[in-house]
Amino acid sequence: MYSDPPPVHSNDQNDGERQIKFKRPRYRLWRIYLGLIAGLIFLIALIGGIGIWVGYQGTIKGLPTITGLRDYAPPVMSRIYSSDDQVIAELAAERRFFVPISAIPKQVKDAFISTEDKNFYLHSGVDPMAIMRALVQDVFRLHGKRLVGASTITQQVARNMLLNNDRKLERKIKEAILALRIEQSLTKDQILEIYLNEIYLGAGAYGVASAAQVYFHKNLNQLTIAEAAYLGGLPKSPYNYDLYKDPKAAIQRRDFVISRMRDTGAITLEQEQVALKEPLLPVNQSNHRGPIAGTEWFSEAVRRDLIDRYGLEKTMQGGLEVHTSLNLDNQALATKLMREALMSYDRKRGWRGALKKIEKIDVDDWQTQLLHETAPKGMLPGWRLAMVLDGKSGKVGWVEKNSQQIQNFNATLDAKSMVWQKRSPHSIKTGDIVMIEPLADKGKVALKQIPRIEGALVSMNVRTGRVLAMFGGWSFAESQFNRATQALRQPGSSFKPIVYLAGMEQNVPPSQIFTDSPFSVGNWHPNNYEMNFWGPTALHNGLRYSRNLVTIRLAAQIGMDAVSKLSIALGEVDSMPKVLPAVLGAVETTVLRHAGAYASIASGGLVVHPTLIDYIQDRNGNVLWRSDAFKVDHLTDPNQLPELSDQRKRAASEQSAYQVITMMKDVIRRGTGSSASKNIDMPIAGKTGTSQNFNDAWFAGFSPDVVTVVWFGYDQPQSLGKGMSGAVVAGPVWNNYMKQVLASYNKRDFAQPLGVFLASYDTSKGTVTDAFKEGQTPGASINLNSGAATGELTASDTGAENVPDSEESMGTAMPPAEQNNGTSTDQPKQETPSSEGDIGMGGLY
């Protein structure tokens, strides 16, 4: 039988302790592992937290502040208005109009919110649901498809206003942080206002107001739901959905936005159906780029003025509202008449030949060949670039492009054009590229060429100096050089009224007799245009018939210092050489300054400064500047009307100015300016001007209300041709312009001031009527030898030593008219100088 083993009694107590010592707790190892893992996680979290904190601090350290957003003032284009408040030009680095959120229609706001951020009014700057949705779509997106974004409108504001536009993760983090800050600082409407005014919508348009003008030529409150939806779809890709480049894609995008607006409840089902059926019709973009046709010279002069006043940045981005004096009807008339005159003069000089010769034309595909040709910049909008298809018959073809198709046209040159080009050695041949103008007579066109001669015209209000019209040259696209404001030219004999005014100021009467006789001083031999001498001649007739020697003797008597000071005071010149050739117009001035000087005479001796701008407002409507020719005196009595106080300075007495005006009335009625008075039944006064060698042709004159100055010449001075005086070239244009402009003014005479009386008297050239000051005797002369008058011409008076030797043969070097065979050259042949003497540096007639 079995029995239990005997107990062991050795060291029983130690054995029990050993058993207790080696007994291990349950799961101890697992606890150790879990502790280590927890510690590691904590360490990682701690390090990560520190890293995130350091990264966050680094990120926010470089973040821009949002302080500027609170006083948001974006770069806004400046606009130039005509006198009747029509926009004639826009000045902008970015095409943008700022519109407050209260003025933006609900349907425009809904179009952008429905498409870009439907939860805009619910989130706090970042939309978590949109982010999750974008992540899912990006994970399962097809290869090549663009990543889906989840930026809210607030984030877009942060990116557009404060950050760059890269796609790095760091930028997205900054964008989110800034969005949260923006939401804490601004209201939702303030954020939406910034967004809708700042967003780029293609075609150079920044903001919804500018885009509405560019694409539809409408104000925001005139947009339909369909048009608003189109704008709302542009932020995704203005280029891809450009209405002009891809109308089909634009309509698809618009329809998508309309459906989103319906989904968000912004529009009803009925409104959706109507909007989807609406055609999407853009207006011509060219209607909203740059100045209105014909106003470029005026607008550019205004732009230069603004830059001088405020600098380039404020001019182009300050949102200035510039109200000008430009009369659009006068401007259109001036442009039409000047271009017609330039073409008429140039046409008489002969046909200069084709623009280009195509050696071998493809009779079946000449249109493609023509489409590769570039039209000259000076070609007028109504002209067409054409190819001569048959030189003998004058058959030409041209193409016209529009947004839909390319059309081909054929026609034949009219009879006048055929005769014109055949008289030239450069007659047209098959394959020539020429310019033509389609005529009302179907199947007929006129042959055209860009004139080489240039011209300028300035018309302004006599009293205020407000410029009503300005023509600065044939084509602004061809050359931005403004011949009205920038070209320094010699005014010739149209300078003489200033000399006469200086004489009247020294109490010389209009009937004063001066000797019209020859003399020579040094190398200077002044003469009259007609190369004859009248002997004793009254001042009145000296001006009426533009007698050079009478003017010279008058200036010698009163002194060149008086003439110089008056010329500067009137604004004709900044400085003037005190030499007698200057009184014949051997000084340099601009058409604008000349008009100002004539206006000063017409205004009774008060200095009239030409002004293009009436007043300037800032973007908030505050007046920054106003013309100060007349100051408004605000009265304390509200029942009284404000009064105008004349701030103009006086250069000459009213009486002296009226004496000169009276003489100038006879100049234009019966003297050298008679070509300018035809069919004008209103008191007018004026003077012709022709510079040496017929290089410049002027006519300057005025009514009691309007002064106009016309000039013709070449940019590089050369003769216009023998006999091409101011009366012949410029006078008829002045007449046609003033005849139509003055039709809108009441008929009235120049105001006769106190201290003068009108009297008639007999001269060697018949009876004339002049104005005389009190104490002067009509028809009599005074003793000029008493006082400062020299009574004798010397070399020091004439300044002959300052006349260059090259001018020795001046006045007789008159080029012949065009050849009878219709041909001409650009450099006219010079005749041999006559022994009768020179006409003199400066004016001829």
Side-chain angles (χ1 to χ4, degrees):
M1 84 181 281
Y2 293 94
S3 61
D4 294 327
V8 178
H9 298 285
S10 58
N11 300 324
D12 288 342
Q13 185 175 356
N14 293 337
D15 289 342
E17 290 176 357
R18 187 180 294 113
Q19 289 177 3
I20 294 173
K21 184 178 179 179
F22 287 99
K23 185 177 180 180
R24 297 174 179 175
R26 296 182 65 183
Y27 310 117
R28 182 182 180 188
L29 189 60
W30 284 102
R31 291 176 180 176
I32 294 173
Y33 289 154
L34 289 174
L36 290 174
I37 291 172
L40 183 61
I41 291 173
F42 175 77
L43 183 61
I44 292 173
L46 180 62
I47 294 173
I50 294 173
I52 292 173
W53 183 82
V54 172
Y56 174 77
Q57 290 298 319
T59 300
I60 64 173
K61 184 178 180 180
L63 283 179
T65 64
I66 63 172
T67 305
L69 295 181
R70 296 192 185 98
D71 301 313
Y72 173 63
V76 179
M77 72 170 64
S78 297
R79 307 180 87 180
I80 302 175
Y81 297 86
S82 62
S83 60
D84 58 352
D85 282 336
Q86 293 190 52
V87 178
I88 60 173
E90 295 167 344
L91 310 176
E94 296 177 354
R95 183 185 175 89
R96 180 189 285 105
F97 307 121
F98 176 77
V99 182
I101 192 66
S102 59
I104 299 177
K106 182 178 182 300
Q107 63 192 27
V108 175
K109 293 184 283 189
D110 288 340
F112 284 86
I113 292 172
S114 298
T115 311
E116 293 295 310
D117 187 2
K118 67 178 183 179
N119 296 321
F120 173 69
Y121 283 103
L122 301 176
H123 61 67
S124 299
V126 179
D127 190 346
M129 293 302 296
I131 294 173
M132 294 301 297
R133 183 173 61 252
L135 286 173
V136 172
Q137 293 183 29
D138 288 341
V139 169
F140 295 101
R141 70 188 175 93
L142 296 175
H143 178 69
K145 295 253 332 184
R146 186 178 178 181
L147 290 172
V148 177
S151 293
T152 64
I153 284 177
T154 312
Q155 286 177 275
Q156 292 184 54
V157 169
R159 178 175 67 246
N160 294 335
M161 299 295 295
L162 304 173
L163 300 172
N164 56 38
N165 202 32
D166 61 46
R167 291 180 172 274
K168 294 179 180 178
L169 178 61
E170 181 185 0
R171 194 269 295 165
K172 296 296 289 184
I173 295 172
K174 290 181 178 180
E175 183 182 292
I177 295 172
L178 282 173
L180 294 172
R181 290 183 175 182
I182 290 172
E183 291 274 352
Q184 293 172 357
S185 301
L186 304 177
T187 66
K188 287 288 187 179
D189 280 349
Q190 287 175 315
I191 296 169
L192 188 60
E193 179 181 80
I194 295 172
Y195 174 76
L196 292 177
N197 281 286
E198 188 67 26
I199 188 72
Y200 179 65
L201 298 173
Y206 289 81
V208 290
S210 176
Q213 286 288 329
V214 167
Y215 293 108
F216 305 112
H217 199 195
K218 290 183 177 181
N219 296 325
L220 286 175
N221 59 0
Q222 297 173 315
L223 294 178
T224 65
I225 291 175
E227 291 166 341
Y230 170 70
L231 299 184
L234 287 173
K236 182 178 180 181
S237 180
Y239 180 82
N240 291 333
Y241 302 121
D242 191 306
L243 188 52
Y244 300 99
K245 296 187 176 79
D246 195 342
K248 184 177 179 180
I251 292 175
Q252 289 176 346
R253 180 63 178 169
R254 179 207 66 174
D255 292 349
F256 169 76
V257 176
I258 292 173
S259 67
R260 291 297 298 268
M261 293 176 72
R262 171 70 180 91
D263 292 341
T264 58
I267 59 174
T268 64
L269 178 61
E270 291 76 17
Q271 289 174 316
E272 178 187 26
Q273 295 303 316
V274 172
L276 289 172
K277 294 177 182 178
E278 183 180 313
L280 197 60
L281 301 175
V283 296
N284 188 349
Q285 282 197 76
S286 62
N287 291 338
H288 315 294
R289 304 287 185 179
I292 292 177
T295 69
E296 298 93 342
W297 304 110
F298 186 94
S299 299
E300 176 61 13
V302 171
R303 188 186 75 89
R304 290 173 180 270
D305 190 329
L306 294 173
I307 291 174
D308 288 342
R309 292 176 188 272
Y310 303 114
L312 182 61
E313 182 177 349
K314 187 170 183 177
T315 296
M316 306 300 286
Q317 302 180 21
L320 301 176
E321 299 285 299
V322 186
H323 298 266
T324 74
S325 56
L326 184 69
N327 183 300
L328 289 177
D329 291 336
N330 290 11
Q331 182 62 49
L333 176 62
T335 301
K336 173 179 176 291
L337 294 176
M338 288 297 292
R339 281 180 171 167
E340 287 176 352
L342 292 170
M343 286 189 288
S344 176
Y345 174 91
D346 186 73
R347 192 176 183 87
K348 293 175 183 177
R349 268 63 200 162
W351 166 249
R352 291 191 295 272
L355 299 173
K356 184 179 179 181
K357 169 71 175 177
I358 304 296
E359 295 298 333
K360 185 176 181 181
I361 67 170
D362 187 340
V363 293
D364 297 321
D365 194 24
W366 58 266
Q367 299 91 341
T368 302
Q369 290 178 292
L370 185 59
L371 284 171
H372 284 92
E373 300 299 326
T374 302
K377 291 182 179 180
M379 191 172 83
L380 297 185
W383 297 2
R384 301 291 182 267
L385 202 63
M387 179 178 287
V388 178
L389 304 178
D390 186 345
K392 292 183 179 179
S393 66
K395 182 180 179 181
V396 299
W398 73 96
V399 296
E400 293 189 11
K401 296 184 289 184
N402 54 45
S403 58
Q404 312 301 336
Q405 59 184 345
I406 297 176
Q407 290 182 288
N408 305 325
F409 295 89
N410 293 318
T412 305
L413 295 180
D414 65 342
K416 289 182 179 179
S417 297
M418 289 296 291
V419 171
W420 183 42
Q421 58 89 21
K422 282 183 178 179
R423 286 181 174 177
S424 167
H426 313 291
S427 58
I428 62 170
K429 296 178 177 58
T430 302
D432 281 353
I433 303 297
V434 298
M435 289 178 290
I436 55 94
E437 182 180 30
L439 301 175
D441 182 5
K442 298 287 185 174
K444 294 292 183 181
V445 296
L447 190 62
K448 295 294 181 180
Q449 70 182 7
I450 297 172
R452 290 181 176 175
I453 186 178
E454 284 291 356
L457 179 149
V458 168
S459 182
M460 53 191 269
N461 183 282
V462 162
R463 292 176 296 280
T464 64
R466 298 176 68 244
V467 175
L468 307 174
M470 176 185 290
F471 180 86
W474 169 260
S475 168
F476 187 80
E478 185 179 38
S479 168
Q480 284 77 56
F481 183 70
N482 191 336
R483 285 91 184 163
T485 62
Q486 295 175 288
L488 291 171
R489 306 296 296 224
Q490 291 192 3
S493 294
S494 64
F495 182 83
K496 290 176 182 177
I498 297 176
V499 183
Y500 277 65
L501 180 59
M504 301 300 104
E505 280 290 89
Q506 295 197 22
N507 210 36
V508 178
S511 58
Q512 184 74 34
I513 299 297
F514 284 91
T515 302
D516 181 5
S517 59
F519 69 89
S520 296
V521 178
N523 291 326
W524 191 49
H525 315 288
N527 207 328
N528 293 312
Y529 174 78
E530 298 83 357
M531 296 296 182
N532 59 14
F533 308 99
W534 288 357
T537 302
L539 274 185
H540 180 106
N541 288 333
L543 184 61
R544 174 179 164 188
Y545 296 108
S546 199
R547 304 297 290 182
N548 288 343
L549 296 174
V550 172
T551 305
I552 290 170
R553 284 189 162 87
L554 170 63
Q557 291 291 345
I558 63 176
M560 284 304 301
D561 188 59
V563 177
S564 176
K565 286 180 178 178
L566 181 60
S567 300
I568 295 170
L570 293 174
E572 177 79 358
V573 292
D574 288 327
S575 61
M576 178 178 168
K578 298 176 183 179
V579 295
L580 285 178
V583 304
L584 301 183
V587 295
E588 291 185 331
T589 189
T590 67
V591 176
L592 183 65
R593 298 187 74 149
H594 206 42
Y598 266 62
S600 299
I601 296 174
S603 289
L606 291 169
V607 178
V608 177
H609 295 291
T611 62
L612 282 66
I613 301 172
D614 290 341
Y615 63 97
I616 303 169
Q617 294 173 289
D618 64 16
R619 67 174 74 201
N620 298 316
N622 301 314
V623 176
L624 299 177
W625 178 89
R626 189 184 298 276
S627 176
D628 60 357
F630 292 91
K631 183 179 179 181
V632 179
D633 293 329
H634 297 283
L635 304 177
T636 55
D637 185 352
N639 297 318
Q640 280 189 283
L641 293 175
E643 294 181 355
L644 294 178
S645 61
D646 198 335
Q647 303 294 307
R648 296 174 296 175
K649 296 180 180 179
R650 181 166 292 283
S653 71
E654 194 174 6
Q655 293 75 21
S656 296
Y658 187 72
Q659 288 182 299
V660 174
I661 292 171
T662 304
M663 286 188 277
M664 292 176 70
K665 288 171 65 176
D666 207 26
V667 170
I668 205 169
R669 184 170 61 248
R670 299 184 298 174
T672 58
S674 58
S675 64
S677 65
K678 186 177 180 182
N679 297 325
I680 296 181
D681 184 25
M682 186 176 287
I684 51 176
K687 183 68 184 75
T688 55
T690 311
S691 71
Q692 189 63 44
N693 204 32
F694 297 95
N695 285 350
D696 302 271
W698 298 74
F699 195 92
F702 47 83
S703 75
D705 298 295
V706 180
V707 59
T708 299
V709 176
V710 179
W711 167 85
F712 289 93
Y714 289 97
D715 282 343
Q716 297 298 321
Q718 67 181 61
S719 177
L720 297 176
K722 184 178 181 180
M724 293 293 102
S725 64
V728 173
V729 181
V733 177
W734 190 95
N735 171 262
N736 286 329
Y737 175 83
M738 291 289 279
K739 185 164 48 184
Q740 298 181 57
V741 168
L742 294 180
S744 62
Y745 289 85
N746 294 326
K747 182 179 180 180
R748 65 189 184 92
D749 205 344
F750 296 94
Q752 181 177 335
L754 296 175
V756 295
F757 61 94
L758 294 173
S760 299
Y761 60 98
D762 186 54
T763 72
S764 60
K765 299 296 179 181
T767 301
V768 300
T769 300
D770 271 318
F772 293 90
K773 297 176 182 176
E774 294 179 357
Q776 292 181 338
T777 303
S781 296
I782 63 174
N783 181 11
L784 294 176
N785 291 325
S786 60
T790 64
E792 183 180 353
L793 291 173
T794 67
S796 61
D797 294 318
T798 64
E801 70 278 4
N802 296 324
V803 180
D805 293 340
S806 61
E807 301 292 347
E808 286 187 275
S809 59
M810 247 179 218
T812 54
M814 300 178 186
E818 56 185 318
Q819 302 299 316
N820 293 330
N821 61 6
T823 63
S824 66
T825 61
D826 292 331
Q827 296 295 332
K829 179 182 177 182
Q830 302 292 309
E831 292 183 350
T832 304
S834 166
S835 60
E836 292 182 87
D838 303 328
I839 288 180
M841 189 175 185
L844 293 174
Y845 186 59

